[in-house]
Amino acid sequence: MLCAPTTFPVGYGAFMFNGSWCRLRVFVFAAVCGFFTLPAAGQGKAIVGENTDYTSSLNKADRVEWFRDQGFGLFIHWSVDSQLGVTISHSLVGASQEYTKKFFDELPKTFDPKQFDPQAWAQLARLAGVKHVVFTTKHHSCFGMYDTKTTPFNVMNTPFHRDITAEVLKAFQAQGIAPGMYFSPDDFYWLHKNGKALQRGVEEVQPSHNPGLLEYDSAQLRELLTHYGPVDVIFFDGEATSLRQLAWKLQPNILVTRGAMRTPEQTIPGQAFDEPWESCITMGDAWQYQPQNDHYKSGRELIRMLVQTRAKGGNLLLNVGPKPNGELTTEQEERLREMALWMFVNSEAIYSVRPWIVTNEGDVWFTKKKDGSALYAVVDPAVPWKLGQWQELVLHSVKTTLKSEISVLGANGEVLEYASKVVPKTTFHMEADGLHIRTMRSQRLQDNKQWPNPVVVKITNAEPALVPPRVKTGSYRWDEGAGTYLLQGEVLDMGEAKVLEVGFEYRAIDGEDVHARSAPWVAMPNQRVTSAGPFSATLTGLPDDKRYEFRAVVHHPLLALYGGEVVLRNTAKPR
């Protein structure tokens, strides 16, 4: 029976069992070349400032492995314009001369965060389970949050007159959290002083087209990587080709994230990657503090993002934006404390884990210890489990062995408070359709017995119970005369299926920059295949005023899986 085309939310894979859609993982492979077809990453004119050369990375293998074990990082966006509650740095783009002059000349005169307490930030981050921090040493405006001799536009020329970067890194290191730096090669202050338009993403403002800017950036990077001790992580938000080489030269053990690996913003990829990557997500809508027009995600949403990111092999870099006085907002503190409780109970399902053969079965998401000793089923149903009620789980991708044991993290499985006749011990058995588990939430974490966040079931010595199909997104061909794209994909393995439905999905690349995504996926009609091999489809009618990306999808009677995303570029009319 043919499956109807199905559209899923951004950032999800999918799984189907007995007619019910769930979400699932896929393995990703490199794009292929064909007749008149270039490799996908090289088609058309590259987006200026986009760093996609991950193959020449000098990140050391042991540091990459360390990074993949981390799971959870804290991003901190804070600069001089937090005083205005304005989008960080970007208000300078298209601004009048009057606004620009006041920004550069007047804002430093009032920056005085008297409530700044990096020790409190770091203690809260440690409690929440954060393993590394990434602090904005310099954002696009060029305001240095450290003691720099390269520009007067820095924190030492404010009433505060303290090296904020030094204090942040010291405080987080004291709590056992690895220090990291955000650095912007784009520099609006330098552009302003050199008579250039303040903007991003065009050749005229890139360091590679401005030797003076590259020299300036390099001098700042030398300061940061020679005056603050060992730095574990650095995040280049802009053209990084030359600067990352300098970073590796100055600190060979440093790990470059953006500029050497995938760092999607405000989205979680639809598939798992067998490589390091980190998703950058804001708690609300804004990166920097905004006193209004910001909408915070719930603690449950943030925990769900952490779980789904880890199920797909990545890290979550969760952003906070301190207030101008140096405090975190109430909303930010509350969410970190909610995550702290969940991580206090369940962190072993987050640290040192890798993807399972599928990312999830419906609302059950999986992580696996990298040594294979334990599988974690993170149960996140629409209606949270009630305390003291038995629940039945059926996991179709999991098979137990004679050595397997199953338990709920945080609970001893022996006592349910005020119910002495109930023994909340988890039991399980295998049937033809999979692993059947009977368990309950038995640990009371809040006074009202309501706790909306996921329960984690630990399964030791588990084995895969199925072989999923594999699909990859290929390249594409642009037909200028017809104004169409020929999309290409390939089924690499049918798994255990005799018939599969395959197709493509596409979406607009909407968001703050080339790494951000906010538009939903749009499904194209499916086609049937009975063997592994290539398939294609024609995409028409895309407007010229937006950029798009596409991915391959395969629908199996039990499974639906996605290939990696490939950016569509009109080769006849560079954008």
Side-chain angles (χ1 to χ4, degrees):
M1 181 177 70
L2 294 179
C3 300
T6 307
T7 302
F8 299 97
V10 176
Y12 289 78
F15 179 96
M16 188 179 188
F17 189 85
N18 290 341
S20 298
W21 284 108
C22 313
R23 300 178 179 92
L24 181 74
R25 157 196 199 182
V26 65
F27 296 90
V28 179
F29 295 79
V32 295
C33 300
F35 184 68
F36 288 127
T37 305
L38 299 171
Q43 295 218 29
K45 186 175 182 180
I47 301 169
V48 176
E50 184 178 17
N51 294 299
T52 57
D53 180 17
Y54 309 137
T55 58
S56 60
S57 170
L58 296 182
N59 286 333
K60 293 184 176 180
D62 63 327
R63 299 303 293 156
V64 169
E65 190 72 4
W66 165 84
F67 183 73
R68 296 187 71 187
D69 290 346
Q70 298 294 290
F72 188 20
L74 188 69
F75 215 173
I76 304 176
H77 274 68
W78 195 28
S79 191
V80 67
D81 49 353
S82 62
Q83 298 174 90
L84 300 176
V86 69
T87 180
I88 187 168
S89 299
H90 294 281
S91 69
L92 285 165
V93 178
S96 67
Q97 291 185 1
E98 292 77 12
Y99 183 95
T100 303
K101 179 176 175 55
K102 287 194 293 183
F103 190 105
F104 291 136
D105 296 345
E106 299 300 322
L107 280 180
K109 296 177 182 178
T110 53
F111 187 66
D112 192 14
K114 291 184 172 66
Q115 304 304 315
F116 172 57
D117 185 354
Q119 289 80 18
W121 293 2
Q123 288 169 351
L124 178 57
R126 176 180 177 174
L127 192 64
V130 167
K131 289 296 186 180
H132 63 281
V133 65
V134 178
F135 182 71
T136 47
T137 62
K138 184 194 81 167
H139 205 265
H140 310 318
S141 73
C142 175
F143 185 78
M145 295 290 278
Y146 71 104
D147 185 2
T148 175
K149 302 300 186 278
T150 63
T151 175
F153 191 52
N154 72 79
V155 70
M156 304 308 290
N157 293 316
T158 70
F160 194 60
H161 195 71
R162 283 161 52 186
D163 190 330
I164 287 177
T165 293
E167 294 188 34
V168 168
L169 299 188
K170 181 180 179 181
F172 277 79
Q173 282 181 296
Q175 294 298 324
I177 298 173
M181 295 179 173
Y182 165 107
F183 182 83
S184 170
D186 297 319
D187 194 302
F188 294 160
Y189 186 81
W190 188 94
L191 295 175
H192 175 67
K193 292 299 182 182
N194 286 271
K196 296 179 180 290
L198 308 189
Q199 55 185 321
R200 300 187 71 218
V202 296
E203 290 181 348
E204 305 90 80
V205 302
Q206 298 301 317
S208 58
H209 287 71
N210 293 278
L213 176 55
L214 181 57
E215 182 179 353
Y216 178 75
D217 281 339
S218 298
Q220 292 179 331
L221 190 60
R222 286 189 184 94
E223 289 178 328
L224 289 167
L225 296 185
T226 58
H227 296 173
Y228 295 88
V231 176
D232 287 299
V233 173
I234 192 162
F235 182 111
F236 290 111
D237 195 6
E239 191 178 74
T241 305
S242 297
L243 295 174
R244 67 178 191 166
Q245 298 300 128
L246 178 59
W248 285 316
K249 179 180 179 181
L250 294 172
Q251 293 205 24
N253 288 323
I254 201 168
L255 187 127
V256 177
T257 55
R258 178 162 295 179
M261 67 176 68
R262 302 173 195 269
T263 55
E265 284 184 12
Q266 308 292 44
T267 189
I268 300 171
Q271 69 285 332
F273 295 101
D274 189 21
E275 61 186 47
W277 63 274
E278 186 164 62
S279 192
C280 315
I281 303 286
T282 54
M283 275 197 181
D285 301 322
W287 293 100
Q288 188 170 245
Y289 168 72
Q290 288 184 190
Q292 74 291 314
N293 197 28
D294 200 6
H295 307 90
Y296 282 89
K297 302 170 184 69
S298 69
R300 184 180 183 184
E301 288 177 294
L302 296 174
I303 292 168
R304 179 178 295 145
M305 288 178 173
L306 175 61
V307 168
Q308 294 182 10
T309 300
R310 295 305 280 154
K312 296 173 182 179
N315 291 344
L316 177 66
L317 188 61
L318 181 63
N319 183 76
V320 295
K323 295 162 62 177
N325 68 0
E327 295 178 315
L328 295 180
T329 67
T330 299
E331 294 88 349
Q332 291 168 3
E333 179 181 349
E334 287 176 345
R335 273 121 183 109
L336 285 173
R337 291 199 184 279
E338 184 171 353
M339 298 184 81
L341 174 54
W342 191 85
M343 287 290 284
F344 199 81
V345 175
N346 300 299
S347 60
E348 72 171 86
I350 298 299
Y351 301 141
S352 300
V353 295
R354 299 293 184 267
W356 177 236
I357 61 164
V358 297
T359 57
N360 62 297
E361 297 182 32
D363 52 24
V364 179
W365 292 80
F366 297 103
T367 62
K368 178 191 71 175
K369 279 297 181 190
K370 65 178 184 179
D371 63 4
S373 60
L375 176 68
Y376 302 94
V378 185
V379 186
D380 186 24
V383 179
W385 284 5
K386 292 184 178 181
L387 185 72
Q389 289 189 0
W390 287 108
Q391 306 289 339
E392 303 286 340
L393 282 179
V394 180
L395 302 179
H396 310 293
S397 66
V398 184
K399 181 170 62 176
T400 55
T401 65
L402 293 176
K403 296 181 179 180
S404 294
E405 297 179 356
I406 300 181
S407 59
V408 174
L409 291 187
N412 62 19
E414 299 173 1
V415 177
L416 177 64
E417 189 178 28
Y418 305 129
S420 59
K421 294 183 179 180
V422 177
V423 179
K425 181 178 176 59
T426 298
T427 58
F428 63 95
H429 65 279
M430 292 296 302
E431 293 188 13
D433 62 343
L435 172 61
H436 287 241
I437 301 173
R438 185 173 188 261
T439 190
M440 72 163 62
R441 182 197 292 275
S442 61
Q443 183 182 20
R444 184 159 70 105
L445 296 175
Q446 295 196 320
D447 288 355
N448 64 2
K449 301 183 181 180
Q450 303 296 315
W451 178 240
N453 295 314
V455 172
V456 180
V457 177
K458 179 179 180 179
I459 308 166
T460 64
N461 299 295
E463 294 180 352
L466 56 83
V467 178
R470 293 183 293 144
V471 65
K472 79 173 179 183
T473 307
S475 193
Y476 63 90
R477 303 181 198 175
W478 163 249
D479 187 327
E480 182 179 6
T484 61
Y485 293 94
L486 180 66
L487 310 183
Q488 299 172 338
E490 184 177 358
V491 176
L492 297 166
D493 192 323
M494 296 286 287
E496 299 170 337
K498 295 182 178 180
V499 178
L500 294 171
E501 293 286 318
V502 299
F504 298 95
E505 296 180 357
Y506 66 93
R507 68 177 173 185
I509 300 178
D510 287 339
E512 196 166 278
D513 66 13
V514 298
H515 302 278
R517 300 291 187 270
S518 59
W521 288 101
V522 178
M524 298 174 64
N526 292 329
Q527 52 191 284
R528 174 178 287 187
V529 298
T530 56
S531 62
F535 60 94
S536 62
T538 299
L539 177 60
T540 63
L542 292 185
D544 287 335
D545 61 345
K546 288 187 176 182
R547 292 181 293 112
Y548 289 81
E549 62 186 354
F550 77 101
R551 65 184 181 186
V553 58
V554 55
H555 297 287
H556 176 276
L558 298 180
L559 306 169
L561 305 111
Y562 298 112
E565 295 89 356
V566 172
V567 175
L568 290 168
R569 296 187 178 114
N570 181 327
T571 58
K573 295 184 290 184
R575 304 182 181 201

